[in-house]
Amino acid sequence: MPGGLTFRPSANIAEMRESATIAVSQRARALKAAGREIIDLGAGEPDFETPEPIREAAKAALDRGATRYTAVDGILPLREAIAGAANAAWQGTDRVTPAEVVVSTGSKQSLFNACMVLFGPGDEVLVPTPSWTSYYEMVGLARATAVEVHGDPARGFKVDPERLSRHATPRTRGVMLNSPSNPTGAVYSREELRAILDLAASRGWWVISDEIYVRITYDGTAAGALDVAERRDNLVVVNGVAKAYAMTGWRIGWTVSPLPVAKAMTALQSHTTSNATTVAQHAALAALTLGDPVERAVRAMVDEFRARRDAALPILRAAEGLTVLPPEGAFYFYVRAPGAGSVPDAGSVFATLLLEEEGVAVVPGLAFRTPDWIRISYAAERSQVLDACRRVVRATEAMVAR
Ligand SMILES: Cc1ncc(COP(=O)(O)O)c(C=O)c1O
């Protein structure tokens, strides 16, 4: 064949951007491979091992033969456990049934499934901004339009009904929520969440509530959508085991949604990945049902995240020229880069400087559609986090002095 075939991205992915969070990790890895010492605070992944009782349960499941296909939407005991937890939050008379639960390959797939079945060409979806990078891309892959609704930095970038309404049009079909938030660590109060859910219900919008960080909070518990919603016929709640149980690599997430939505997502999944990995489903079942031994491990992890936050925050805050949002949940500091306001894409400029000169990998805020900011993860060993924060301060002071 003369010349070979030239690859041109299809219309499906023409607008898709590379995941900037992954790009930073790759660059950090390349520098490490070249012999540089890098503190990687780019990753959104707990730095703990999956608790031992979960690993043991997975081994036992393998030995019992958990090696075959399961139902596309997941094994029944896992869906029962998820429905049970949902019913502990949801007090409505329409109890959540296991048929309304779809287990997927990570909450990432759950979010993708939901976007694909709910939204399509011509639809607009409100995305409180900054938000996790993949929401924008997933809405785009569904050929819908992600509408950025920028929050107020003074309120941890949280949005409210008034801000959302300002961006609504007759084409608005849904809104993405994420509390606690990646990248800001902000947590919506019950009242704040309820107000947004009420607005969505009154406007006939779908709500996709990504609650992957709901167990990781520092000052009390975070409300989930089912805790406060008046109705759930427009609600898709997304969660998974990755963050709370340090199970990122197991790839188990799920949705709780009205039955027709669950059926559509199951059909979609049946043509793409089928069931999530069988043994991983058994591990997730152990995480949700073993009780005390696992819960102790979760508490210990959250305590450690809190200790890191409490130790690192004063270091960052002491730097002149740095604005830091105090996280109430998740495990990220969202920091306004020095130079913001005078340099375009100040977050990327600062992130590059931090990586190349200080050996600290962070994620530029551009990934979350707020280019003046950077995200610093503290899912790394405490001494490393503190060391990295001192380097961030040093780089900031050097920039301010210039
Ligand atoms: C807000 C948010 N939602 C979803 C995910 C995906 O998690 P999972 O590993 O369950 O696919 C992440 C992971 O970084 C995240 O930060």
Side-chain angles (χ1 to χ4, degrees), residues 44-45 105-109 111 132 135 178 180-182 210 212-213 238-243 247-248 251-253 332 375:
E45 172 168 34
T105 303
S107 67
K108 208 173 218 180
Q109 189 186 20
L111 288 158
W132 185 48
Y135 296 157
N178 177 218
S181 155
N182 174 10
D210 176 356
I212 192 76
Y213 294 101
V238 177
N239 208 334
V241 292
K243 314 289 179 174
M247 291 178 71
T248 45
R251 311 306 305 129
I252 296 292
Y332 309 106
R375 188 193 75 179

Side-chain angles (χ1 to χ4, degrees), residues 191-202:
E191 296 71 30
E192 288 166 339
L193 193 53
R194 173 67 192 266
I196 294 173
L197 295 173
D198 284 350
L199 172 76
S202 74

Side-chain angles (χ1 to χ4, degrees), residues 324-348:
V324 189
L325 301 183
E328 304 165 273
F331 38 71
Y332 309 106
F333 293 118
Y334 213 45
V335 176
R336 189 162 192 264
S342 47
V343 184
D345 196 5
S348 299

Side-chain angles (χ1 to χ4, degrees), residues 3 20 22 76 82 140 146-147 208 221 229 234 249 281 289 298 335 366-367 378 398:
I22 288 171
L76 183 58
I82 294 163
V147 176
I208 300 180
T221 55
N234 65 332
Q281 292 189 57
T289 57
V298 172
V335 176
L366 186 62
Y378 46 95

Side-chain angles (χ1 to χ4, degrees), residues 260-312:
V261 180
K263 282 187 169 163
M265 291 191 292
T266 303
L268 173 64
Q269 189 165 298
S270 78
H271 295 302
T272 51
T273 57
S274 289
N275 64 272
T277 304
T278 303
V279 68
Q281 292 189 57
H282 285 275
L285 176 63
L288 297 190
T289 57
L290 282 182
D292 232 24
V294 170
E295 290 306 305
R296 266 201 305 276
V298 172
R299 275 197 299 278
M301 289 189 274
V302 174
D303 287 347
E304 175 57 25
F305 282 135
R306 184 189 296 104
R308 291 174 193 171
R309 178 198 68 162
D310 291 348

